[in-house]
Amino acid sequence: MALLGCDSRPGFMSYRICIHFRAWIYSEYLVFKKKSSKVRHSDIGLTEVENLTGKEDDRAALLDGEAIKSIPYGARIPPSSLVLSGTKSYNRDLFASSSSSHHVSAITTFKIHQDKSHIFSETLLFLNRHQTEEWKGWMQVIFLMYHYFNAREIYNVGRVCVAAYVWMTGFGNFSYYYARKDFSLSRFAQMMWRLNFLVFMCCIVLDNSYMLYYICPLHTFFSLVVCGIIGVLHKYNEIKAVIVGKFFVSFLVVVLVWEIPGVFDVLWEPFTFLLGYKDPNRKVENLPPMYEWHFRTALDRYIWILGMIYAYYYSTIEKWIEKLDDAKLKPRIFIKTTIVVTSATAAYLWFEYIFKLDSITYNKYHPYTSWIPITAYICIRNVTQSSRSYTLTLFGWIGKISLDTYISQFHIWLRSNAPDAQPKKLLIIIPNYPLLNFMFTTILFMANYGLNELSSSDFDRVQSFHFNHSSTMYLKEGRSLLMKIQKPLIPFVLNSNPIINPRDPNKQQLLQESDVLKRLKTDRNLSSVLGFFSAIANSNAFQHTASTYRVMIERLGRECEMDMVQYILQQMKMDGINCCEDLFICIINGYKRVGSAEQALKMFYRIGEFGCKPTVRIYNHLLDALLSENKFQMINPLYTNMKKDGLIPNNDRVDAAHKLFVEMSNKGCPPDAVTYTTMVSSLCKAGKIDDARELAGRFKPSVPVYNALMGCVRRKELR
């Protein structure tokens, strides 16, 4: 689960690099121009110039670039100094009406999602991705409105929203690393790139401090901490006591660092070069460089641990929800009503006695109480299948680009009155019209994002295989290497981690085999079935058995998805499960169905790799597949190989074999003497003496053939 939506596709990133590089070149050009100018430098500072913007002549000078001359010689010129700025002013009615309009617009994008749970057959969607993206989206709107309208009275709301983001960091990262066990360098680099690329570019180009965009270092730090906690002794993460011990140690470390005075300063002092920050507007307060980092991390020092705990018990909670949804009506209503009432009561008490406190007092209680509104929201939001399934897609879209939105508010909607300062002013494009200006700057942001999407669209169209951070493989759309028909895009997740001890009989499973088989058989959506199959394969909820693999392969065979059959066979092999006779016959019939009998023959020659031995039935089905495509040149060697194994077709297949022999003869490919004799003998044993005589008359007389006929006639006479 991505905490902050930042697209890392090449086209997207190329566009960003280009924009920031051009801005940097332009700022350096202005500095060079200033150095080469013969005009005497003014003593008027940037702040004083901004205070003169009320006069028409000075405003014109500002727009013409004359204000640049007032900047000290050789200073870097931030791009935001080239436009007008306005003072923030808070009006409750204006803020409320603007916020209401945003929510009304979002309601028009109401959508019910039909996605199914990866663990169970019902449409549970407990804390699904649509829901978390919507959650991030409306919190980003709150951040932007708070800063733009200077709505200090909702300061405490902002604190809860930041805590929710940190909670998602613990929840999402724990879920990924615990299930995937992917601690590779590439995964780590991708995560760091996604979180920090844009903010680092802003810091380099605009000469700002990393901590100015405090959300990014905050979530980067907690992501690293969660990764380290899961990565240490990760081979023992399946043991509950080990995980609980890690949670307990995390709690003790937080208490040691943030609760005991002096420990934080000693521990973090070496990182002052990266995390140190002094707001130019607060120099008179003489705050230490690490004050901002201490303040931000201390506020949410516990909530990320709660996110990990929720992620660890996620499967258990979802299983309990499924049982609750299947319960009888009265108990179900009673339990869900109890959940809603309890959650609402806890939220109300928190609101009445904690949230209403002034900001300074509230911050003292926030680290210990922020879990209350977050937990209450999760419980109420997911209490029914209907409430879990709907989202407001406008907020969901904003949630996908939440990192862009957060950083952009510093430079598109807002501006600072000094380099590296907090954005205390508004970026003005249309003076004296605050709402119209807000709308116009928002359009600029939307246009920028639209160009980003456009720049990356060509890259998306040429992708045939795409691997994302969760190792999801998307099969190539169109003609397959093994198939002759067009197939749609189907996602499938393979467990990329070798299984050292795959079958642990003592390991407790959250799912029963009957539940899994029921879902695999009854769900009509193949993509949904694959998602379910792969999700439980990579989780602790269930270990696939021979039966579940067989049902899955049979489903894929009927749908002619033989590429997927190959992948699942490899996974089955990794799990140490042997392929039975019926399953291998199913695979052969699948290749026959798609017209790839030759591939079926290649699979047959690898039969030993999957713990299966050739049988008469397997030979018979393979012969049928070859016959259906007139692969006569392959049949004779196969039949010879069958004789070497001491196998002959069973009576149920004698008629098919007889037909095969006749067609081989008509095609100019007569069988050899051994095959000829075996066929005549099989017909005699099946009581088809007339067919045996007719077949014997088609080929060159042979002593073994006539011996077989004579023996058959003699046995018939004795009866």
Side-chain angles (χ1 to χ4, degrees), residues 69-306:
K69 298 177 182 178
S70 65
I71 299 176
Y73 185 82
R76 184 184 297 274
I77 301 177
S80 60
S81 65
L82 305 179
V83 295
L84 291 171
S85 63
T87 304
K88 296 180 182 180
S89 61
Y90 179 63
N91 182 288
R92 180 179 292 180
D93 291 338
L94 185 62
F95 173 77
S97 61
S98 180
S99 300
S100 299
S101 64
H102 290 139
H103 284 81
V104 170
S105 300
I107 290 173
T108 62
T109 63
F110 178 89
K111 181 179 180 181
I112 297 178
H113 301 276
Q114 301 298 329
D115 305 29
K116 292 192 176 182
S117 164
H118 288 303
I119 304 299
F120 302 103
S121 59
E122 300 294 336
T123 311
L124 294 173
L125 295 167
F126 172 61
L127 275 178
N128 60 86
R129 191 173 186 87
H130 302 296
Q131 185 184 129
T132 54
E133 285 174 349
E134 178 204 62
W135 191 359
K136 291 186 292 182
W138 62 256
M139 289 193 299
Q140 277 297 323
V141 172
I142 290 177
F143 287 147
L144 179 58
M145 299 293 288
Y146 166 78
H147 287 112
Y148 193 87
F149 291 97
N150 196 30
R152 291 290 301 176
E153 67 176 344
I154 66 166
Y155 170 87
N156 294 352
V157 176
R159 294 273 60 82
V160 176
C161 291
V162 174
Y165 270 107
V166 177
W167 180 91
M168 290 185 198
T169 300
F171 181 88
N173 283 282
F174 184 94
S175 298
Y176 177 84
Y177 288 115
Y178 185 73
R180 304 283 187 223
K181 301 176 178 63
D182 180 10
F183 303 97
S184 62
L185 179 61
S186 60
R187 162 64 185 174
F188 175 81
Q190 188 181 41
M191 178 180 65
M192 292 297 101
W193 172 277
R194 187 170 63 250
L195 283 175
N196 293 288
F197 169 77
L198 182 57
V199 67
F200 275 165
M201 290 300 299
C202 289
C203 291
I204 293 171
V205 173
L206 303 176
D207 201 22
N208 287 333
S209 298
Y210 185 37
M211 272 302 297
L212 179 64
Y213 313 92
Y214 73 90
I215 288 288
C216 295
L218 189 68
H219 295 299
T220 299
F221 167 67
F222 286 119
S223 296
L224 291 174
V225 171
V226 174
C227 178
I229 290 172
I230 305 302
V232 174
L233 302 176
H234 62 88
K235 294 181 179 180
Y236 304 98
N237 284 343
E238 304 298 332
I239 304 174
K240 185 176 181 179
V242 173
I243 291 294
V244 174
K246 289 183 176 183
F247 293 156
F248 183 70
V249 171
S250 301
F251 177 79
L252 290 182
V253 171
V254 169
V255 171
L256 175 66
V257 175
W258 277 273
E259 302 288 354
I260 301 178
V263 177
F264 179 92
D265 298 331
V266 174
L267 181 65
W268 287 102
E269 185 178 3
F271 301 95
T272 303
F273 74 97
L274 178 65
L275 300 172
Y277 174 72
K278 283 191 175 183
D279 189 345
N281 294 323
R282 303 180 66 181
K283 287 184 178 180
V284 295
E285 300 180 43
N286 196 26
L287 298 173
M290 295 299 287
Y291 169 81
E292 187 74 10
W293 178 241
H294 180 270
F295 174 72
R296 300 298 178 182
T297 54
L299 283 173
D300 302 306
R301 56 185 180 269
Y302 294 112
I303 194 66
W304 61 278
I305 301 177
L306 189 68

Side-chain angles (χ1 to χ4, degrees), residues 335-364:
I335 294 174
K336 291 187 176 183
T337 302
T338 303
I339 293 173
V340 172
V341 171
T342 303
S343 301
T345 302
Y348 171 77
L349 293 175
W350 168 83
F351 175 82
E352 190 67 27
Y353 296 101
I354 303 296
F355 180 79
K356 288 185 176 181
L357 297 172
D358 63 274
S359 59
I360 297 177
T361 307
Y362 172 81
N363 285 341
K364 297 178 181 179

Side-chain angles (χ1 to χ4, degrees), residues 404-429:
D404 303 81
T405 309
Y406 169 75
I407 297 177
S408 295
Q409 69 176 310
F410 286 80
H411 308 293
I412 294 181
W413 286 280
L414 308 172
R415 62 160 296 179
S416 58
N417 58 357
D420 204 23
Q422 293 291 333
K424 299 296 185 180
K425 293 184 176 294
L426 303 179
L427 189 147
I428 299 298
I429 298 177

Side-chain angles (χ1 to χ4, degrees), residues 562-610:
M562 301 311 296
D563 288 349
M564 300 302 303
V565 169
Q566 290 276 2
Y567 292 125
I568 292 188
L569 277 175
Q570 291 299 324
Q571 186 70 19
M572 187 175 177
K573 179 180 176 182
M574 291 174 59
D575 283 352
I577 300 177
N578 293 331
C579 183
C580 64
E581 180 189 54
D582 290 337
L583 184 56
F584 209 87
I585 290 174
C586 176
I587 296 170
I588 293 173
N589 290 338
Y591 280 118
K592 176 184 176 183
R593 192 176 293 110
V594 300
S596 296
E598 187 172 352
Q599 291 295 334
L601 184 61
K602 291 180 180 179
M603 279 295 299
F604 172 77
Y605 289 134
R606 297 175 55 203
I607 191 172
E609 296 180 19
F610 305 104

